Structures are given as structure tokens and as C-alpha cells.
mmCIF file of all heavy atoms in Angstrom:
data_model
loop_
_atom_site.group_PDB
_atom_site.id
_atom_site.type_symbol
_atom_site.label_atom_id
_atom_site.label_comp_id
_atom_site.label_asym_id
_atom_site.label_seq_id
_atom_site.Cartn_x
_atom_site.Cartn_y
_atom_site.Cartn_z
ATOM 1 N N VAL C 1 104.772 77.807 123.448
ATOM 2 C CA VAL C 1 106.103 78.105 123.949
ATOM 3 C C VAL C 1 107.048 78.252 122.648
ATOM 4 O O VAL C 1 107.863 79.230 122.671
ATOM 5 C CB VAL C 1 106.546 77.150 125.000
ATOM 6 C CG1 VAL C 1 108.076 77.348 125.381
ATOM 7 C CG2 VAL C 1 105.675 77.132 126.182
ATOM 8 N N TYR C 2 107.064 77.277 121.825
ATOM 9 C CA TYR C 2 107.938 77.287 120.673
ATOM 10 C C TYR C 2 107.748 78.577 119.846
ATOM 11 O O TYR C 2 108.702 79.237 119.467
ATOM 12 C CB TYR C 2 107.677 75.986 119.873
ATOM 13 C CG TYR C 2 108.393 76.035 118.536
ATOM 14 C CD1 TYR C 2 109.783 75.857 118.403
ATOM 15 C CD2 TYR C 2 107.578 76.302 117.371
ATOM 16 C CE1 TYR C 2 110.422 75.913 117.108
ATOM 17 C CE2 TYR C 2 108.268 76.380 116.115
ATOM 18 C CZ TYR C 2 109.600 76.195 116.046
ATOM 19 O OH TYR C 2 110.197 76.313 114.782
ATOM 20 N N VAL C 3 106.492 78.895 119.534
ATOM 21 C CA VAL C 3 106.205 79.996 118.660
ATOM 22 C C VAL C 3 106.626 81.340 119.333
ATOM 23 O O VAL C 3 107.224 82.148 118.672
ATOM 24 C CB VAL C 3 104.726 80.112 118.316
ATOM 25 C CG1 VAL C 3 104.369 81.357 117.725
ATOM 26 C CG2 VAL C 3 104.360 78.985 117.383
ATOM 27 N N THR C 4 106.376 81.449 120.596
ATOM 28 C CA THR C 4 106.867 82.583 121.362
ATOM 29 C C THR C 4 108.336 82.845 121.325
ATOM 30 O O THR C 4 108.861 83.877 121.083
ATOM 31 C CB THR C 4 106.360 82.533 122.875
ATOM 32 O OG1 THR C 4 104.951 82.408 122.803
ATOM 33 C CG2 THR C 4 106.708 83.783 123.606
ATOM 34 N N VAL C 5 109.035 81.800 121.620
ATOM 35 C CA VAL C 5 110.549 81.823 121.542
ATOM 36 C C VAL C 5 111.073 82.040 120.154
ATOM 37 O O VAL C 5 111.985 82.947 119.927
ATOM 38 C CB VAL C 5 111.154 80.558 122.201
ATOM 39 C CG1 VAL C 5 112.708 80.498 121.944
ATOM 40 C CG2 VAL C 5 110.828 80.437 123.649
ATOM 41 N N ARG C 6 110.525 81.411 119.105
ATOM 42 C CA ARG C 6 110.931 81.639 117.806
ATOM 43 C C ARG C 6 110.673 83.067 117.286
ATOM 44 O O ARG C 6 111.591 83.656 116.778
ATOM 45 C CB ARG C 6 110.151 80.662 116.917
ATOM 46 C CG ARG C 6 110.628 80.750 115.401
ATOM 47 C CD ARG C 6 109.693 80.095 114.472
ATOM 48 N NE ARG C 6 108.478 80.982 114.451
ATOM 49 C CZ ARG C 6 107.257 80.554 114.169
ATOM 50 N NH1 ARG C 6 107.027 79.288 113.837
ATOM 51 N NH2 ARG C 6 106.214 81.444 114.249
ATOM 52 N N ASP C 7 109.527 83.617 117.659
ATOM 53 C CA ASP C 7 109.272 84.946 117.292
ATOM 54 C C ASP C 7 110.162 85.932 117.964
ATOM 55 O O ASP C 7 110.691 86.901 117.320
ATOM 56 C CB ASP C 7 107.783 85.320 117.533
ATOM 57 C CG ASP C 7 106.787 84.569 116.655
ATOM 58 O OD1 ASP C 7 107.230 83.991 115.635
ATOM 59 O OD2 ASP C 7 105.619 84.608 116.991
ATOM 60 N N LYS C 8 110.524 85.738 119.126
ATOM 61 C CA LYS C 8 111.444 86.614 119.913
ATOM 62 C C LYS C 8 112.869 86.555 119.276
ATOM 63 O O LYS C 8 113.422 87.522 119.008
ATOM 64 C CB LYS C 8 111.461 86.239 121.353
ATOM 65 C CG LYS C 8 112.424 87.123 122.193
ATOM 66 C CD LYS C 8 112.008 88.541 122.113
ATOM 67 C CE LYS C 8 110.949 88.860 123.113
ATOM 68 N NZ LYS C 8 110.634 90.272 123.287
ATOM 69 N N LEU C 9 113.286 85.318 118.992
ATOM 70 C CA LEU C 9 114.582 85.250 118.334
ATOM 71 C C LEU C 9 114.643 85.810 116.970
ATOM 72 O O LEU C 9 115.682 86.453 116.642
ATOM 73 C CB LEU C 9 114.997 83.720 118.279
ATOM 74 C CG LEU C 9 115.329 83.077 119.626
ATOM 75 C CD1 LEU C 9 115.520 81.534 119.504
ATOM 76 C CD2 LEU C 9 116.498 83.740 120.336
ATOM 77 N N GLU C 10 113.588 85.579 116.181
ATOM 78 C CA GLU C 10 113.531 86.200 114.866
ATOM 79 C C GLU C 10 113.549 87.733 114.930
ATOM 80 O O GLU C 10 114.145 88.430 114.133
ATOM 81 C CB GLU C 10 112.375 85.664 114.039
ATOM 82 C CG GLU C 10 112.475 84.300 113.546
ATOM 83 C CD GLU C 10 111.228 83.883 112.834
ATOM 84 O OE1 GLU C 10 110.225 84.565 112.775
ATOM 85 O OE2 GLU C 10 111.290 82.767 112.256
ATOM 86 N N GLY C 11 112.851 88.343 115.967
ATOM 87 C CA GLY C 11 112.839 89.701 116.153
ATOM 88 C C GLY C 11 114.274 90.244 116.400
ATOM 89 O O GLY C 11 114.565 91.323 116.020
ATOM 90 N N TRP C 12 115.037 89.532 117.179
ATOM 91 C CA TRP C 12 116.347 89.930 117.463
ATOM 92 C C TRP C 12 117.242 90.082 116.197
ATOM 93 O O TRP C 12 118.183 90.790 116.104
ATOM 94 C CB TRP C 12 117.009 89.142 118.469
ATOM 95 C CG TRP C 12 116.440 89.277 119.828
ATOM 96 C CD1 TRP C 12 115.732 90.315 120.332
ATOM 97 C CD2 TRP C 12 116.694 88.376 120.942
ATOM 98 N NE1 TRP C 12 115.439 90.120 121.690
ATOM 99 C CE2 TRP C 12 115.994 88.940 122.079
ATOM 100 C CE3 TRP C 12 117.328 87.243 121.109
ATOM 101 C CZ2 TRP C 12 116.043 88.388 123.319
ATOM 102 C CZ3 TRP C 12 117.306 86.578 122.284
ATOM 103 C CH2 TRP C 12 116.646 87.179 123.454
ATOM 104 N N TRP C 13 116.880 89.130 115.269
ATOM 105 C CA TRP C 13 117.870 89.090 114.015
ATOM 106 C C TRP C 13 117.258 89.907 112.946
ATOM 107 O O TRP C 13 117.975 90.065 111.931
ATOM 108 C CB TRP C 13 117.961 87.674 113.586
ATOM 109 C CG TRP C 13 118.892 86.897 114.522
ATOM 110 C CD1 TRP C 13 118.494 85.968 115.431
ATOM 111 C CD2 TRP C 13 120.312 87.016 114.655
ATOM 112 N NE1 TRP C 13 119.543 85.537 116.103
ATOM 113 C CE2 TRP C 13 120.672 86.149 115.616
ATOM 114 C CE3 TRP C 13 121.220 87.791 113.976
ATOM 115 C CZ2 TRP C 13 122.055 86.016 116.018
ATOM 116 C CZ3 TRP C 13 122.522 87.712 114.379
ATOM 117 C CH2 TRP C 13 122.877 86.825 115.408
ATOM 118 N N LEU C 14 116.123 90.520 112.998
ATOM 119 C CA LEU C 14 115.670 91.455 112.010
ATOM 120 C C LEU C 14 116.505 92.709 111.805
ATOM 121 O O LEU C 14 117.255 93.082 112.911
ATOM 122 C CB LEU C 14 114.213 91.868 112.233
ATOM 123 C CG LEU C 14 113.218 90.787 112.110
ATOM 124 C CD1 LEU C 14 111.797 91.285 112.559
ATOM 125 C CD2 LEU C 14 113.178 90.274 110.593
ATOM 126 N N PRO C 15 116.601 93.359 110.756
ATOM 127 C CA PRO C 15 117.355 94.570 110.680
ATOM 128 C C PRO C 15 116.978 95.487 111.752
ATOM 129 O O PRO C 15 115.783 95.820 111.949
ATOM 130 C CB PRO C 15 117.032 95.155 109.260
ATOM 131 C CG PRO C 15 116.580 93.956 108.484
ATOM 132 C CD PRO C 15 115.948 92.960 109.500
ATOM 133 N N GLY C 16 118.017 96.104 112.420
ATOM 134 C CA GLY C 16 117.750 96.947 113.546
ATOM 135 C C GLY C 16 117.544 96.263 114.879
ATOM 136 O O GLY C 16 117.405 96.944 115.848
ATOM 137 N N GLY C 17 117.549 94.962 114.852
ATOM 138 C CA GLY C 17 117.432 94.153 116.027
ATOM 139 C C GLY C 17 118.798 94.231 116.847
ATOM 140 O O GLY C 17 119.852 94.443 116.380
ATOM 141 N N GLY C 18 118.701 94.077 118.169
ATOM 142 C CA GLY C 18 119.796 94.247 119.068
ATOM 143 C C GLY C 18 120.906 93.220 118.731
ATOM 144 O O GLY C 18 122.138 93.559 118.783
ATOM 145 N N ALA C 19 120.560 91.970 118.496
ATOM 146 C CA ALA C 19 121.594 90.891 118.301
ATOM 147 C C ALA C 19 122.296 91.208 117.015
ATOM 148 O O ALA C 19 123.563 90.975 116.933
ATOM 149 C CB ALA C 19 120.913 89.503 118.259
ATOM 150 N N ARG C 20 121.717 91.671 116.021
ATOM 151 C CA ARG C 20 122.343 91.999 114.718
ATOM 152 C C ARG C 20 123.368 93.108 114.937
ATOM 153 O O ARG C 20 124.521 92.991 114.326
ATOM 154 C CB ARG C 20 121.345 92.346 113.695
ATOM 155 C CG ARG C 20 121.950 92.476 112.334
ATOM 156 C CD ARG C 20 120.856 92.783 111.275
ATOM 157 N NE ARG C 20 121.347 92.725 109.932
ATOM 158 C CZ ARG C 20 121.252 91.587 109.208
ATOM 159 N NH1 ARG C 20 120.918 90.446 109.760
ATOM 160 N NH2 ARG C 20 121.813 91.597 108.008
ATOM 161 N N ARG C 21 123.040 94.090 115.684
ATOM 162 C CA ARG C 21 123.954 95.158 115.895
ATOM 163 C C ARG C 21 125.165 94.736 116.768
ATOM 164 O O ARG C 21 126.260 95.124 116.474
ATOM 165 C CB ARG C 21 123.252 96.338 116.677
ATOM 166 C CG ARG C 21 122.485 97.155 115.665
ATOM 167 C CD ARG C 21 121.798 98.423 116.320
ATOM 168 N NE ARG C 21 120.446 97.929 116.626
ATOM 169 C CZ ARG C 21 119.879 98.255 117.776
ATOM 170 N NH1 ARG C 21 120.455 98.946 118.636
ATOM 171 N NH2 ARG C 21 118.654 97.737 118.014
ATOM 172 N N VAL C 22 124.906 93.904 117.666
ATOM 173 C CA VAL C 22 126.015 93.328 118.554
ATOM 174 C C VAL C 22 126.849 92.558 117.613
ATOM 175 O O VAL C 22 128.165 92.587 117.725
ATOM 176 C CB VAL C 22 125.436 92.508 119.710
ATOM 177 C CG1 VAL C 22 126.511 91.670 120.369
ATOM 178 C CG2 VAL C 22 124.709 93.315 120.672
ATOM 179 N N TRP C 23 126.383 91.743 116.734
ATOM 180 C CA TRP C 23 127.240 90.894 115.848
ATOM 181 C C TRP C 23 128.078 91.782 114.971
ATOM 182 O O TRP C 23 129.235 91.558 114.715
ATOM 183 C CB TRP C 23 126.325 90.027 115.073
ATOM 184 C CG TRP C 23 127.111 89.148 114.013
ATOM 185 C CD1 TRP C 23 127.073 89.402 112.646
ATOM 186 C CD2 TRP C 23 128.053 88.151 114.292
ATOM 187 N NE1 TRP C 23 127.939 88.481 112.099
ATOM 188 C CE2 TRP C 23 128.544 87.668 113.049
ATOM 189 C CE3 TRP C 23 128.600 87.580 115.478
ATOM 190 C CZ2 TRP C 23 129.472 86.711 112.907
ATOM 191 C CZ3 TRP C 23 129.384 86.592 115.347
ATOM 192 C CH2 TRP C 23 129.934 86.125 114.083
ATOM 193 N N GLN C 24 127.493 92.947 114.391
ATOM 194 C CA GLN C 24 128.269 93.757 113.594
ATOM 195 C C GLN C 24 129.464 94.464 114.402
ATOM 196 O O GLN C 24 130.533 94.608 113.846
ATOM 197 C CB GLN C 24 127.319 94.852 113.029
ATOM 198 C CG GLN C 24 126.395 94.335 111.958
ATOM 199 C CD GLN C 24 125.351 95.349 111.538
ATOM 200 O OE1 GLN C 24 125.118 96.351 112.156
ATOM 201 N NE2 GLN C 24 124.606 95.002 110.453
ATOM 202 N N VAL C 25 129.192 94.811 115.582
ATOM 203 C CA VAL C 25 130.253 95.408 116.377
ATOM 204 C C VAL C 25 131.303 94.406 116.660
ATOM 205 O O VAL C 25 132.514 94.745 116.544
ATOM 206 C CB VAL C 25 129.661 95.975 117.692
ATOM 207 C CG1 VAL C 25 130.757 96.385 118.724
ATOM 208 C CG2 VAL C 25 128.749 97.157 117.477
ATOM 209 N N VAL C 26 130.950 93.173 116.988
ATOM 210 C CA VAL C 26 132.001 92.139 117.251
ATOM 211 C C VAL C 26 132.773 91.888 116.044
ATOM 212 O O VAL C 26 133.999 91.717 116.017
ATOM 213 C CB VAL C 26 131.364 90.853 117.786
ATOM 214 C CG1 VAL C 26 132.194 89.709 117.813
ATOM 215 C CG2 VAL C 26 130.699 91.153 119.120
ATOM 216 N N ARG C 27 132.115 91.769 114.849
ATOM 217 C CA ARG C 27 132.788 91.426 113.624
ATOM 218 C C ARG C 27 133.753 92.536 113.185
ATOM 219 O O ARG C 27 134.767 92.275 112.604
ATOM 220 C CB ARG C 27 131.690 91.198 112.561
ATOM 221 C CG ARG C 27 132.013 89.960 111.766
ATOM 222 C CD ARG C 27 130.914 89.654 110.780
ATOM 223 N NE ARG C 27 130.762 90.766 109.865
ATOM 224 C CZ ARG C 27 129.741 90.833 108.988
ATOM 225 N NH1 ARG C 27 128.879 89.870 108.957
ATOM 226 N NH2 ARG C 27 129.643 91.819 108.166
#
């Protein structure tokens, strides 16, 4: 469970990931 969640969160923060783009728009 831990590895699955960690990998998903890291994927969101990689360049081109959705969370990173959202953060850039907010900033």
C-alpha cells in the first residue's frame, strides 16, 4: 500500500505531472 501511494504521489510531482502544473498556475 505504501509503495503504491508513494509512486502515485511521485508521479504527480514529476515534470509534466498534473499537480506540478496546478501548482504553477496557482503560483
Side-chain angles (χ1 to χ4, degrees):
V1 172
Y2 168 76
V3 167
T4 302
V5 170
R6 183 198 67 207
D7 289 348
K8 181 59 84 174
L9 291 174
E10 284 179 355
W12 285 345
W13 286 106
L14 290 175
R20 187 176 190 89
R21 279 183 269 140
V22 168
W23 176 249
Q24 289 172 347
V25 169
V26 169
R27 225 174 61 186

